[in-house]
Amino acid sequence: MPESRDFHDSQKKQERDAAPQMPFVTLLRKERRGLLVVLAVSLGYNALSYIFKTFSLAYLSDFQDVSASVGAFGITLASAAALVTVPVFGWASDRFGSRRVLAAGGIASALFAFPFFVLLDTGNSILIWLCLIIATGLLAPAMFAPQGSLLSRQFPPDVRVSGAGTGREIGAALSGGLAPLAALAIVGASATNATWGVSLLLVAAAVVVVIGAAFDRGTPSASPPVRRDSETGLPPSPEPDRDNVRAGQTH
């Protein structure tokens, strides 16, 4: 795939300035807000996703005496649903703005935190499958699909890879690994194996996602040199940021 115009302009600027580039140092000195946005979204999303699709399997087999095959088949169905919903939410992000779609996914996940366990606790295979499809096949994709657009635009081109990669991977490692363990510890510590603590954990993770989306920086300026069209000699028209365009525009 061809590189973006911002990337090419950034390369030209670096060649013109002939200055040594230290992206990680620049990231920590000048782009801390963008890094925190990426970290928040990654922490919240991965906590939700891994509790939905990893902890739920352990919970069903260890605390509800549900056959492991029931949960595994539910995750298979949810993954099949995600093959459809991820592109749909990607289209919705282009149409309505990735910030709105991500925040909507976080809010919906918070609302589903308590019904999630109500459905799992029925022990009914069909309701369990429905629960996993909603959580992993619908809600998780609603937060996953917008991330490519939202996370990358938190940084100018010269630190974009460092910023998006650092925040996303640190957040995934922390919450993806610790959230399911924390959920198991919460349930195991309860004499009745109560799950309300895990539901509160889900709500907290969803709130972190929404907060991250709320502090989205839009499209930061990379301050590249002005490029002129080869035919007209005029600067190109600026490209609109879909997240700053009204979603309710009439056609």
Side-chain angles (χ1 to χ4, degrees):
M1 295 178 62
E3 297 289 358
S4 67
R5 186 182 69 191
D6 280 352
F7 181 80
H8 284 297
D9 289 344
S10 178
Q11 279 190 319
K12 292 177 182 178
K13 183 176 184 295
Q14 291 177 20
E15 292 171 0
R16 182 193 65 191
D17 294 344
Q21 299 299 312
M22 301 178 67
F24 193 70
V25 175
T26 303
L27 177 69
L28 295 179
R29 290 179 56 191
K30 299 181 180 180
E31 303 296 336
R32 287 189 292 270
R33 175 177 169 177
L35 189 61
L36 289 174
V37 169
V38 174
L39 186 62
V41 171
S42 182
L43 283 170
Y45 164 74
N46 282 284
L48 288 162
S49 178
Y50 279 91
I51 290 176
F52 282 155
K53 69 184 179 185
T54 302
F55 164 76
S56 61
L57 299 183
Y59 174 75
L60 287 170
S61 60
D62 294 348
F63 298 101
Q64 293 297 318
D65 294 325
V66 174
S67 171
S69 63
V70 173
F73 185 64
I75 294 297
T76 300
L77 293 175
S79 299
L83 292 175
V84 176
T85 56
V86 167
V88 170
F89 285 119
W91 169 85
S93 296
D94 286 342
R95 175 64 181 86
F96 303 105
S98 52
R99 178 172 56 241
R100 293 184 178 93
V101 175
L102 180 63
I107 293 170
S109 296
L111 295 175
F112 191 62
F114 285 91
F116 177 68
F117 286 103
V118 171
L119 292 173
L120 292 183
D121 289 345
T122 63
N124 182 285
S125 297
I126 294 178
L127 292 180
I128 290 172
W129 294 338
L130 175 64
C131 174
L132 295 175
I133 289 172
I134 293 173
T136 301
L138 183 65
L139 298 179
M143 294 177 287
F144 173 74
Q147 289 186 37
S149 168
L150 188 138
L151 301 188
S152 63
R153 71 163 174 263
Q154 304 309 311
F155 309 97
D158 53 334
V159 293
R160 185 166 293 163
V161 173
S162 299
T166 299
R168 188 174 185 273
E169 298 311 316
I170 289 177
L174 290 175
S175 63
L178 296 178
L181 294 177
L184 280 172
I186 290 171
V187 176
S190 170
T192 59
N193 301 136
T195 59
W196 61 268
V198 183
S199 293
L200 291 179
L201 182 60
L202 288 171
V203 171
V207 169
V208 171
V209 170
V210 174
I211 291 174
F215 282 90
D216 169 34
R217 301 176 68 186
T219 305
S221 173
S223 300
V226 176
R227 190 186 67 155
R228 296 181 178 275
D229 186 271
S230 58
E231 295 182 1
T232 65
L234 299 175
S237 300
E239 297 178 359
D241 179 4
R242 288 189 177 91
D243 275 45
N244 293 329
V245 177
R246 289 179 55 119
Q249 247 179 340
T250 56
H251 295 279

